[in-house]
Amino acid sequence: MRPSPSKTGYYVLEGLNSFATAYYFNYLMFLLRDAHGFGNLQNLTVSAVHGFIYIGGSWYGGRFGQRHGYFTSLRIGFGGMAAAVVVGWLVPALWGQLLALGLWTITMCFTWPILEALVSEHETPDRLPDRVGLYNVVWAGTAALGFSCGGWLFEHLGHPSLYWLPAVIHVGQFAATWSLQAKHDVWAASATPRPASRENGAASGRPRCFQRLAWAANPFNYMAANTILAVVPGIATNVGLGIAEAGLVMSVWYYVRALAFLKLWFWGGWHHHFGWFMTAFVLLAGSFVTVMLAPSVWLLVVAQVAFGWAFALLYCSSLYYAMDGSDTHGEHGGIHEALIGIGICGGPAVSAAAQALTGNVTAPAWAVTAFLAAGMVVVLRIRAKSR
């Protein structure tokens, strides 16, 4: 079988997408706090709606790209995201910000499943872990850069940079799809057929069990992560951090996650080992509640180290097992992202409901931790049935 086409351009698109989305979404929470008086409850509600849109949107985006072309999907995504942030720039009122976020979320759903599919397609089983591993390192590293530098950008370039900087990036991505498609089509025209699919072969049995385990755990993974992201302004206030300082301190788990992805890329010992998987799940719950309730910066940093490692292993499991043994990478990428959307929506929704019902600012931490414990029970049941 001939070598797969060059994937460098797709990794560049992925890195730019991750940087732009990390900057826009995370610092929109600060803008909503400072310009519109939002507290934790309001930011959690906005994040929950964002996640709800992402569930159906990403599932549809993966299917759309599989049926109508990956590059058509990417152009809809990048072009739509650029237009959405411009709407937010031109309409500073609250309704304009919420409309822009909604449009941005919908169109973003046409990008991530397709980028995952493009780096996975035409790869043999022995090469797939390397492709997925590099994919994880790229998006995690550039997201960490976007979060840690975002506070400085927001303070020194002003809040309009929240819009024009992502818009410039997305327009560049849109333009790049034409040359990437031309190279892809030239390669595809001369490619030899792939060997028979492993969809019903190696993907059955033990790998199929781990796919179910990972798909069950990843929504809980994102329940924890997006609850934290929604209340970063509140956490920063509690420990006395400004916006730029919060970007640096709260990006610790981002960088740990990127380094963990690098480790997991080169070390495949976690593949199909339930002990590593379950330990990460337990660590996720313990570190999450510590981050949410940490009374000091040093404890916040230590907890983030554990959280970043746990998140990385659970995420790697989900994406690797989603792509392993599949020839419909667009659809499987959409499923992977839809499950992420369940977590993005579920964590903030549970947190907002808990705080609204109890009036206690610590209720979100304990409510989501309870759901994480329930997730562990689900995982153990899946494991027991598979054995």
Side-chain angles (χ1 to χ4, degrees):
M1 181 180 177
R2 65 176 297 186
S4 61
S6 172
K7 305 293 179 77
T8 303
Y10 308 143
Y11 288 120
V12 172
L13 289 184
E14 172 207 355
L16 291 171
N17 217 39
S18 185
F19 180 92
T21 54
Y23 180 45
Y24 173 70
F25 183 78
N26 291 324
Y27 288 93
L28 180 64
M29 299 295 106
F30 282 97
L31 179 72
L32 293 176
R33 181 195 69 177
D34 297 342
H36 301 286
F38 275 32
N40 283 352
L41 179 60
Q42 291 80 13
N43 276 349
L44 286 165
T45 303
V46 168
S47 295
V49 175
H50 159 72
F52 181 77
I53 296 171
Y54 196 73
I55 297 170
S58 55
W59 178 80
Y60 177 77
R63 291 173 63 85
F64 180 91
Q66 194 72 51
R67 286 159 175 72
H68 301 285
Y70 289 160
F71 293 96
T72 299
S73 182
L74 288 179
R75 289 179 194 121
I76 292 173
F78 296 142
M81 292 166 77
V85 294
V86 169
V87 170
W89 190 4
L90 297 177
V91 187
L94 178 59
W95 70 267
Q97 301 307 304
L98 298 180
L99 175 62
L101 178 61
L103 295 173
W104 179 83
T105 303
I106 292 170
T107 51
M108 180 173 60
C109 295
F110 288 84
T111 64
W112 287 120
I114 305 310
L115 290 171
E116 291 161 5
L118 284 169
V119 301
S120 302
E121 281 210 325
H122 308 297
E123 300 295 343
T124 57
D126 60 315
R127 289 199 304 248
L128 182 62
D130 284 338
R131 293 301 195 187
V132 173
L134 179 57
Y135 176 89
N136 290 336
V137 171
V138 170
W139 77 256
T142 49
L145 189 64
F147 196 2
S148 61
C149 296
W152 185 92
L153 293 172
F154 191 79
E155 288 191 339
H156 289 78
L157 299 182
H159 77 268
S161 67
L162 193 65
Y163 312 109
W164 64 257
L165 182 56
V168 168
I169 291 173
H170 294 320
V171 168
Q173 291 173 295
F174 179 88
T177 60
W178 302 99
S179 61
L180 289 173
Q181 183 176 12
K183 293 177 182 178
H184 181 275
D185 290 347
V186 168
W187 184 92
S190 59
T192 55
R194 267 198 66 168
S197 171
R198 300 188 306 127
E199 189 74 46
N200 296 317
S204 61
R206 186 177 69 167
R208 178 66 71 187
C209 162
F210 275 88
Q211 184 182 80
R212 290 170 181 156
L213 287 171
W215 279 359
N218 211 30
F220 294 100
N221 206 19
Y222 273 85
M223 282 186 73
N226 276 71
T227 299
I228 291 174
L229 293 178
V231 301
V232 162
I235 293 174
T237 300
N238 291 341
V239 296
L241 298 174
I243 295 179
E245 294 171 325
L248 291 173
V249 172
M250 293 304 298
S251 65
V252 167
W253 77 270
Y254 271 65
Y255 282 105
V256 172
R257 177 178 65 182
L259 291 173
F261 281 152
L262 186 62
K263 169 66 175 177
L264 296 169
W265 175 22
F266 288 106
W267 174 66
W270 58 274
H271 292 172
H272 306 122
H273 283 275
F274 183 72
W276 282 103
F277 182 85
M278 196 64 201
T279 300
F281 209 150
V282 174
L283 189 61
L284 181 82
S287 57
F288 163 76
V289 71
T290 306
V291 169
M292 290 287 288
L293 303 178
S296 61
V297 173
W298 75 265
L299 185 57
L300 191 60
V301 169
V302 171
Q304 285 184 79
V305 172
F307 187 83
W309 167 259
F311 182 101
L313 197 146
L314 292 175
Y315 181 90
C316 279
S317 299
S318 179
L319 183 57
Y320 173 68
Y321 299 133
M323 295 301 175
D324 186 31
S326 167
D327 282 336
T328 54
H329 293 102
E331 289 191 19
H332 278 72
I335 294 171
H336 168 76
E337 292 296 324
L339 291 168
I340 287 175
I342 292 173
I344 293 173
C345 174
V350 167
S351 299
Q355 185 169 336
L357 291 173
T358 65
N360 190 334
V361 294
T362 66
W366 298 114
V368 172
T369 302
F371 269 80
L372 295 179
M376 295 179 206
V377 174
V378 171
V379 164
L380 290 171
R381 287 180 60 86
I382 294 174
R383 173 67 169 173
K385 288 182 179 180
S386 72
R387 299 184 70 176

